[in-house]
Amino acid sequence: MPFIHYKQIYQVAKAYKIFFWKKAPFLRLLLPIIGGIILQFYLLFQIEAILIASISVAIIYTGFHFFPLAYRYKFRVVGGVLINLLLIICGFLLAYNKDIRNNSEWYGNKYDSSAYVIATISEPPVEKNKSYKALVNVESINRRDSTFSTTGKLIVYFAKDSITKTLTYGDRIILKKNLQQIKNSGNPAAFNYARYCAFQQIFYQCYLKPNDYVLLKRRNSNQYKSIIFKTRMQVVRILNQYIVGNDEAALAKALLIGYKVDLDKDLVQAYSNAGVVHLIAISGLHLGLIYGLLLFIIGKFSFINKSRFLRLITILFCLWFFAFLTGASASVLRSAVMFSFIATGKTFNKNSSIYNSLALSAFVLLCFNPFLLWDVGFQLSYLAVTGIVISQKYIYNWFYFSNKIMSKIWALASVSLAAQLFTLPVCLYYFHQMPLLFLISNLIAIPLATIILCGCILLIFVSPLHFIALYAGKILSTIIWILNHAVLLINSLPFSLWNGVSISASETFLLYIIFISLLYSLIKKNGMAFKVGIGFSLAFASLIAVKRWHFSQQQKMVVYNIPSHKAIDFIHGNTHYFLGDSDLAENSLLQTFNLKSTRISLMANKKTDTSFLYQHDNYYQLYGKTILMIDSAMNYIPPPKKINVDFIVISKNPKLFIPKLAKVFNCGTYIFDASNPLWKIDKWKKDCEELHLHFHSVPEQGAFVTDL
């Protein structure tokens, strides 16, 4: 009897597995493709090795089919393994082919410092504090009477002057300036900007003064892109004209078309802390509303509604036009592909599994750009939708409300809970915080944002009617004001945010195992899954405890790489003492961008006084180490015996000479921080090399981190 019992369980599990795979066949293609993309990214196989592997597997797979049918059935797992190997190799090829550095026409393979670069501005320049930032496509490289046609993108910063204000999409320039490779700051746990740009296939940047480039007469623009950019700027103009208030107009532009240039950074941080920043980032919510509006509007035009093909073409054109109008972020592309499949399926009376549609949309997007796999928006978008699909109905069934309004409110809350459950580990890993009042925030913000989005679309359509648009703008401004102040109020509550969380990639993976196990145990009433979840929870708690103990014993000095700034942290256990520029110490946004991630990663979030630090003039002593800070001109008289110091940190471009310092101090390491100009650091470096002194250039080598 027990034998029959376990056999029946096995058969049921097997049947469920087969049923699941049949419901989502594209998942079987997606997983090995993802595996291949990840392996290619980290192992960097050359094309020769990939081709040899693909030919070898293809030959073995072909030979396998010459075996007798009985053997092929008996060893059918071999056929499955070979097919998956071929798919993994396809992932290799996708990632290799997308990496523009493997393209012989990439400008980086042709460029040297003597070359002239001809490039086209590929999007309207964005105004920064001291420059205009633009993305350009490099058309050709002119080098020693030779011209090479090239491809590739380059970030250009134009110094502000009267000419740069007129630069726009399609303008062509010729420039002669050394291109700088995009590098990270090197600050511990800081945002990996170089890798982010690499995933966009951008590896170089340059800063251009008026004399560094010439604007060419002939333009190079794409008609479709021109329409997109002109439409975008027309929408911006209308919203600026009719929405009252800078913050209100900025939020309207972000909600409707993802235009975030004018958004106040404090307001964005408040939305992030309240757990509703997804409203500012164009996502599935926006595409879903657009899709619903399209169905409603098309239903009113019988000549379109009667022709299913005209109806489909109209929906697809509008969806993708909106997607590109908003900037075509990963979450927007996912939604556009998903709704395209849904619209196509309904046109041909095919209702596919939502799991299959998700897998298919991810498969299509990764074939187009395999590096989307590392895009945070892509990850959060798919995790949120997967969480909603898997768990929303079970969460909704936790409570029953006979009142229709309460039932609708709980339905919206269950969607937020399901999405938050599946995105929480990734949010903790990337953003180190969790909004504790996200349910309240979403219950207020999502209905208001829906009204605002529909209102903004209506405002665009009625804008030719100035009188109507004027009053519509005032009503919208009031609703946006209410939304902004509701978010700011929630953000101001002392218990609204749990921040300062630091977890590793492995701990993130453990969290997903815990969540999935416990969720499965609740849904399927499975005791074993519950035990697995509890077991991994204990393992996770043990890892966190060990890590906390380790960081409680730390003693470090961090000299940050922040351009034009002096910034040093002395870290003792879980506390830090900051020494540096006052604007960094007082400005919370600058701290968040430059210092917060390092402190969180080292679990040193708490400020402290100098009780563990002995200071005398410019000398600092702690844990037996002596540190000399120099930020002004010095002229020491050589003493009879050199003064021993472990580190000399030089800041603020002081007038000094390394040979003279070397006669006074016996120093372990000279540290030149990012507040010094590079030309001066180069001079100091040469002096150090001649005297065989150890040095560290923070702007070039990244932050200096040492144990004390």
Side-chain angles (χ1 to χ4, degrees):
M1 193 67 162
F3 173 75
I4 297 173
H5 173 68
Y6 288 117
K7 187 175 181 180
Q8 287 175 337
I9 291 176
Y10 171 76
Q11 288 173 344
V12 170
K14 187 177 179 182
Y16 176 78
K17 181 181 177 183
I18 293 170
F19 175 70
F20 179 77
W21 282 122
K22 284 186 175 180
K23 281 182 68 178
F26 263 97
L27 194 59
R28 287 180 283 179
L29 298 179
L30 181 63
L31 295 178
I33 288 286
I34 288 175
I37 292 169
I38 293 172
L39 287 173
Q40 176 61 26
F41 175 76
Y42 287 106
L43 301 180
L44 296 174
F45 295 112
Q46 294 302 309
I47 188 63
E48 296 82 5
I50 296 172
L51 291 176
I52 290 170
S54 61
I55 293 169
S56 301
V57 175
I59 290 172
I60 294 170
Y61 183 73
T62 304
F64 179 74
H65 279 271
F66 286 100
F67 280 72
L69 182 61
Y71 282 96
R72 275 185 283 155
Y73 178 77
K74 184 177 181 180
F75 298 103
R76 59 190 180 278
V77 68
V78 175
V81 169
L82 292 172
I83 291 173
N84 279 282
L85 283 175
L86 284 172
L87 290 170
I88 289 171
I89 293 169
C90 286
F92 293 168
L93 287 169
L94 286 172
Y96 181 90
N97 185 62
K98 187 63 179 180
D99 191 339
I100 199 169
R101 291 172 294 183
N102 298 322
N103 187 336
S104 60
E105 294 187 354
W106 178 52
Y107 71 86
N109 295 326
K110 309 288 185 181
Y111 174 81
D112 64 28
S113 57
S114 65
Y116 286 86
V117 176
I118 297 177
T120 300
I121 298 176
S122 60
E123 60 182 25
V126 177
E127 186 174 3
K128 301 291 183 181
N129 290 333
K130 299 180 181 179
S131 64
Y132 286 90
K133 179 184 177 182
L135 190 64
V136 303
N137 289 324
V138 179
E139 293 180 15
S140 62
I141 298 288
N142 294 358
R143 192 179 66 198
R144 300 185 189 92
D145 300 324
S146 299
T147 300
F148 303 93
S149 294
T150 58
T151 186
K153 294 181 284 187
L154 169 71
I155 295 176
V156 175
Y157 295 91
F158 293 96
K160 286 189 174 180
D161 68 334
S162 58
I163 297 176
T164 54
K165 290 181 179 179
T166 64
L167 291 174
T168 186
Y169 164 71
D171 286 342
R172 298 171 70 241
I173 59 172
I174 181 168
L175 62 96
K176 176 70 169 65
K177 188 71 178 286
N178 287 341
L179 305 184
Q180 299 174 339
Q181 191 169 2
I182 296 174
K183 296 180 179 179
N184 290 320
S185 65
N187 295 328
F191 174 62
N192 194 331
Y193 181 65
R195 193 173 80 164
Y196 170 79
C197 289
F199 287 148
Q200 318 301 316
Q201 301 303 292
I202 306 169
F203 298 92
Y204 288 94
Q205 62 184 355
C206 68
Y207 181 84
L208 298 180
K209 295 179 180 178
N211 295 330
D212 294 330
Y213 70 97
V214 175
L215 182 63
L216 301 177
K217 291 183 179 179
R218 187 168 63 86
R219 302 180 77 252
N220 181 15
S221 60
N222 176 281
Q223 190 64 31
Y224 180 74
K225 278 191 173 182
S226 296
I227 293 171
I228 289 286
F229 291 134
K230 286 178 182 177
T231 304
R232 188 176 175 86
M233 295 316 297
Q234 180 68 5
V235 170
V236 169
R237 185 193 65 78
I238 291 170
L239 294 177
N240 280 335
Q241 181 180 357
Y242 292 108
I243 301 293
V244 181
N246 293 332
D247 286 342
E248 287 74 20
L251 189 74
K253 289 178 282 187
L255 272 172
L256 183 59
I257 58 171
Y259 187 85
K260 304 174 187 174
V261 176
D262 301 328
L263 273 175
D264 180 73
K265 291 181 179 179
D266 288 319
L267 184 63
V268 174
Q269 190 63 49
Y271 271 78
S272 178
N273 293 347
V276 289
V277 74
H278 57 86
L279 298 178
I280 298 173
I282 304 295
S283 61
L285 172 66
H286 302 75
L287 265 292
L289 289 170
I290 297 296
Y291 180 67
L293 283 172
L294 284 172
L295 293 179
F296 174 77
I297 293 169
I298 289 172
K300 301 300 180 182
F301 295 91
S302 57
F303 73 96
I304 297 178
N305 209 30
K306 285 179 180 179
S307 172
R308 61 179 184 175
F309 292 106
L310 183 58
R311 182 172 179 269
L312 177 63
I313 290 169
T314 304
I315 289 173
L316 293 181
F317 174 80
C318 293
L319 279 176
W320 285 98
F321 185 84
F322 179 78
F324 285 109
L325 184 68
T326 60
S329 65
S331 56
V332 170
L333 289 175
R334 190 270 307 162
S335 302
V337 172
M338 278 284 295
F339 284 113
S340 297
F341 289 148
I342 291 170
T344 305
K346 286 190 174 182
T347 300
F348 297 100
N349 297 318
K350 300 288 185 181
N351 291 318
S352 176
S353 160
I354 185 64
Y355 298 103
N356 198 50
S357 296
L358 275 173
L360 178 57
S361 64
F363 179 82
V364 170
L365 290 175
L366 291 177
C367 286
F368 171 72
N369 182 5
F371 298 124
L372 281 175
L373 194 61
W374 284 269
D375 186 280
V376 179
F378 180 88
Q379 295 172 15
L380 291 175
S381 179
Y382 275 95
L383 285 169
V385 174
T386 303
I388 291 168
V389 170
I390 290 176
S391 60
Q392 186 271 334
K393 65 178 181 181
Y394 297 103
I395 294 174
Y396 176 75
N397 289 334
W398 287 352
F399 301 103
Y400 171 75
F401 296 97
S402 57
N403 184 285
K404 288 185 178 180
I405 295 176
M406 288 301 298
S407 181
K408 293 288 184 184
I409 291 173
W410 174 237
L412 179 58
S414 65
V415 170
S416 296
L417 275 170
Q420 190 72 29
L421 180 67
F422 273 66
T423 57
L424 177 59
V426 168
C427 288
L428 292 177
Y429 176 69
Y430 285 118
F431 308 119
H432 314 294
Q433 64 181 34
M434 175 189 173
L436 299 178
L437 301 179
F438 70 91
L439 268 182
I440 297 173
S441 304
N442 279 277
L443 288 174
I444 296 171
I446 290 178
L448 288 176
T450 303
I451 295 169
I452 293 166
L453 183 60
C454 295
C456 286
I457 294 171
L458 180 64
L459 178 61
I460 299 301
F461 280 106
V462 302
S463 59
L465 306 173
H466 178 73
F467 181 77
I468 297 175
L470 195 64
Y471 280 94
K474 288 181 179 179
I475 294 169
L476 267 175
S477 302
T478 303
I479 299 171
I480 297 172
W481 184 90
I482 293 170
L483 173 60
N484 283 343
H485 281 74
V487 170
L488 289 170
L489 176 62
I490 292 170
N491 178 55
S492 66
L493 298 174
F495 49 84
S496 64
L497 184 68
W498 175 35
N499 61 3
V501 182
S502 175
I503 62 172
S504 64
S506 58
E507 289 162 352
T508 304
F509 182 71
L510 272 179
L511 273 180
Y512 272 111
I513 294 177
I514 293 166
F515 286 179
I516 291 170
S517 299
L518 295 177
L519 183 65
Y520 185 80
S521 70
L522 287 172
I523 293 173
K524 298 295 182 180
K525 311 299 182 186
N526 188 296
M528 180 55 70
F530 180 77
K531 292 176 182 177
V532 169
I534 295 299
F536 277 102
S537 297
L538 293 173
F540 178 80
S542 301
L543 281 176
I544 295 297
V546 170
K547 188 165 75 170
R548 283 189 176 279
W549 179 85
H550 171 74
F551 281 119
S552 69
Q553 308 300 310
Q554 68 185 335
Q555 300 164 354
K556 292 181 182 292
M557 178 177 72
V558 181
V559 182
Y560 292 96
N561 181 12
I562 305 173
S564 304
H565 284 86
K566 174 183 178 180
I568 302 165
D569 264 344
F570 294 106
I571 295 174
H572 173 67
N574 300 121
T575 62
H576 67 267
Y577 173 72
F578 179 74
L579 182 68
D581 293 344
S582 58
D583 59 341
L584 281 171
E586 296 168 2
N587 191 314
S588 60
L589 282 176
L590 285 176
Q591 285 196 37
T592 298
F593 185 77
N594 295 292
L595 308 175
K596 186 177 179 180
S597 58
T598 298
R599 292 169 178 171
I600 289 173
S601 68
L602 297 175
M603 292 190 175
N605 296 321
K606 300 175 183 177
K607 293 181 181 179
T608 186
D609 55 19
T610 58
S611 58
F612 68 95
L613 186 69
Y614 173 76
Q615 179 186 0
H616 178 69
D617 293 334
N618 291 331
Y619 292 90
Y620 292 81
Q621 289 185 337
L622 64 163
Y623 315 121
K625 300 292 177 90
T626 303
I627 302 152
L628 173 62
M629 303 286 178
I630 302 177
D631 56 10
S632 59
M634 299 187 69
N635 189 17
Y636 283 108
I637 299 173
K641 185 179 180 181
K642 288 185 180 182
I643 302 171
N644 291 323
V645 293
D646 295 283
F647 305 101
I648 295 179
V649 181
I650 301 176
S651 310
K652 299 297 181 181
N653 191 23
K655 185 178 179 180
L656 56 80
F657 301 95
I658 297 297
K660 288 186 177 181
L661 278 181
K663 291 179 181 179
V664 177
F665 299 102
N666 186 17
C667 175
T669 304
Y670 288 85
I671 304 164
F672 313 125
D673 77 6
S675 64
N676 301 295
L678 286 173
W679 66 268
K680 181 66 77 67
I681 292 177
D682 286 337
K683 184 179 179 181
W684 291 335
K685 282 166 56 180
K686 289 177 182 177
D687 291 338
C688 288
E689 287 168 355
E690 289 176 2
L691 297 170
H692 305 289
L693 301 174
H694 190 259
F695 64 88
H696 183 96
S697 171
V698 171
E700 297 167 301
Q701 298 172 258
F704 181 80
V705 184
T706 184
D707 291 318
L708 299 174

